[in-house]
């Protein structure tokens, strides 16, 4: 299954013929969210499937726009690979741009269809860049393209951690470094902190990509001030975070 309709037929043909896998650097975007169970339990089958189809169509269109390949797309989950099977020199930047657009789409979709029981604020996205084994594998004769290894696992963990971290989109420092190296545009970021993740020897620095509007919000600026105070060991860092929590819980 290939989510990117722009995938060159020649490349797709090779994969379908069982091309050997390879290890390459990719960016993986993992999205987790509502499973549409509330919609299915409260609406007709036609209403549920119509909403689900519109949701998947919107996601697929955005993934294609940024050159990604959909590995998994089902209610409550989407996995997208950037940089495979087609090479992308700016794969990390495209993954981050796609993540922000997908997050905005999910909020709009949930808000517009709140009556269907879709929680607009429940979608979380994780993005990580690193080496992975990529290629086509067979399942009962069907060929599926997938990325396997620590990189997709890390993206998945970030998506799961989004609620507890307070992030909508969360990326790693390796993804950020790769994105900046492409030189394709500036990034507004909110530092989240360092966290120990399974499979990583050292703590991983995490960030939340923001829109220009989000970056200019008073609560974002207050957070950045408190975070800088914490990093420099300023004695008022705890107070700054406490005040921020009271104003914007």
């Amino acid at each position: 299954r290939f989510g990117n309709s722009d995938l060159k037929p020649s490349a797709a043909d090779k994969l379908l013929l069982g091309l050997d896998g390879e290890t390459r650097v990719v960016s993986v975007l993992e999205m987790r969210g509502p499973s549409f169970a509330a919609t299915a339990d409260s609406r007709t089958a036609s209403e549920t499937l119509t909403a689900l189809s519109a949701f998947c169509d919107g996601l697929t269109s955005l993934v294609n726009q940024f050159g990604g390949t959909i590995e998994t797309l089902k209610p409550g989950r989407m996995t997208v690979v950037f940089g495979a099977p087609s090479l992308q020199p700016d794969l990390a930047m495209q993954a981050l741009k796609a993540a922000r657009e997908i997050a905005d789409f999910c909020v709009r979709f949930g808000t517009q269809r709140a009556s269907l029981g879709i929680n607009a604020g429940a979608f979380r996205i994780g993005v990580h860049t690193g080496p992975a084994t990529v290629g086509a594998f067979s399942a009962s004769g069907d060929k599926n393209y997938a990325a396997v290894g620590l990189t997709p696992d890390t993206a998945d963990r970030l998506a799961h951690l989004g609620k507890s971290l307070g992030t909508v989109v969360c990326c790693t420092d390796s993804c950020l470094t790769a994105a900046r190296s492409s030189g394709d545009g500036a990034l507004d970021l909110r530092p989240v902190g360092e966290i120990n993740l399974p499979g990583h020897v050292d703590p991983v620095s995490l960030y939340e990509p923001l829109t220009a509007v989000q970056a200019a919000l008073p609560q974002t600026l207050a957070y950045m001030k408190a975070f800088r105070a914490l990093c420099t060991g300023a004695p008022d860092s705890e107070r700054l975070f406490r005040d921020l929590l009271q104003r914007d819980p």
Side-chain angles (χ1 to χ4, degrees), residues 85-222:
S86 299
L87 293 171
Q88 288 177 275
D90 57 347
L91 56 91
M93 182 63 79
Q94 292 305 308
L96 291 178
K97 288 181 176 179
R100 276 264 36 115
E101 290 293 332
I102 289 170
D104 292 344
F105 167 77
C106 289
V107 171
R108 291 195 306 272
F109 186 90
T111 301
Q112 294 166 358
R113 294 166 175 78
S115 62
L116 298 180
I118 301 171
N119 184 355
F123 296 95
R124 310 288 176 178
I125 298 173
V127 188
H128 180 53
T129 300
T133 296
V134 295
F137 67 94
S138 177
S140 301
D142 293 331
K143 290 290 184 180
N144 299 269
Y145 194 79
V148 184
L150 182 59
T151 295
D153 285 356
T154 299
D156 186 44
R157 290 185 184 279
L158 297 184
H160 279 289
L161 286 170
K163 184 175 182 179
S164 58
L165 294 175
T167 59
V168 176
V169 178
C170 186
C171 72
T172 60
D173 51 352
S174 64
C175 180
L176 176 58
T177 299
R180 284 174 168 164
S181 69
S182 69
D184 182 22
L187 291 169
D188 289 310
L189 301 160
R190 180 178 74 88
V192 177
E194 294 185 340
I195 187 170
N196 292 309
L197 293 175
H200 294 266
V201 176
D202 299 316
V204 179
S205 296
L206 304 180
Y207 300 85
E208 181 175 26
L210 303 174
T211 64
V213 173
Q214 290 172 325
L217 291 174
Q219 55 265 42
T220 302
L221 298 176

Side-chain angles (χ1 to χ4, degrees), residues 27-36 52 54-60 62-63 69-82 95 98-107 109-110 118-128 151-162 167-170:
S27 289
V28 178
L29 181 158
E30 183 77 27
M31 187 196 76
R32 294 284 181 163
S35 65
F36 283 77
L52 181 57
F55 183 65
C56 291
D57 284 346
L59 292 175
T60 300
L62 286 172
V63 171
T69 298
I70 295 178
E71 175 188 313
T72 302
L73 178 56
K74 59 183 180 181
R77 182 181 182 185
M78 179 173 70
T79 305
V80 183
V81 181
F82 294 84
R100 276 264 36 115
E101 290 293 332
I102 289 170
D104 292 344
F105 167 77
C106 289
V107 171
F109 186 90
I118 301 171
N119 184 355
F123 296 95
R124 310 288 176 178
I125 298 173
V127 188
H128 180 53
T151 295
D153 285 356
T154 299
D156 186 44
R157 290 185 184 279
L158 297 184
H160 279 289
L161 286 170
T167 59
V168 176
V169 178
C170 186

